[in-house]
Amino acid sequence: MNFKYLSVLTLVIISLTACGNSEQAAEPIIAPIEEPIGNTELTQFTFLQSYNPSLNDDVTSSITSGVVSARITTNVPVNNLVATFDHGGAEVTINGEVQTSNVTSNDFSQLVTYQVAMTDGQVAQYQVDLTKFTGLPVISIA
């Protein structure tokens, strides 16, 4: 009796899962970024709790091929965060506005493009993708 009940329940769950809405939230489109030139490399990028009181912990990131990726809990506002970063360039800007590590705040609710410039005019771009994440495991059933 228990085996029949468990089998029927399993089939119902599988059927409901298969019939669910197949639309998924749109992932942000990250434009390809050229590799850093010379010393225009962004070497470190974090959000420290000491400069962002709304954070529960420091948020670290990974930097790969011009994309800075970080995850943050879903209940944290991201529209006024101060980034901490190290770079080998002369100046860091967003849309022409000079950025100062541990000082300048920005809205990270969308992709943000940092530009690291050298004194000779060479510029490298980095897109910061701050993804809100619940911390729960993600299970994908295909």
Side-chain angles (χ1 to χ4, degrees), residues 93-108:
T93 61
I94 296 176
N95 297 325
E97 186 176 323
V98 175
Q99 302 294 300
T100 304
S101 181
N102 298 327
V103 175
T104 313
S105 65
N106 290 290
D107 182 356
F108 289 90

Side-chain angles (χ1 to χ4, degrees), residues 54-78:
S54 62
L55 297 179
N56 296 327
D57 295 306
D58 293 346
V59 177
T60 59
S61 68
S62 63
I63 304 172
T64 307
S65 300
V67 177
V68 179
S69 300
R71 290 189 174 181
I72 195 164
T73 56
T74 59
N75 60 343
V76 174
V78 296

Side-chain angles (χ1 to χ4, degrees), residues 46-58:
T46 58
F47 296 99
L48 300 177
Q49 183 185 22
S50 55
Y51 298 104
N52 299 284
S54 62
L55 297 179
N56 296 327
D57 295 306
D58 293 346

Side-chain angles (χ1 to χ4, degrees), residues 11-35:
L11 287 173
V12 169
I13 291 173
I14 291 172
S15 297
L16 291 175
T17 303
C19 295
N21 187 353
S22 62
E23 292 182 25
Q24 296 179 357
E27 291 289 324
I29 298 172
I30 299 175
I33 302 289
E34 293 181 17
E35 289 296 318

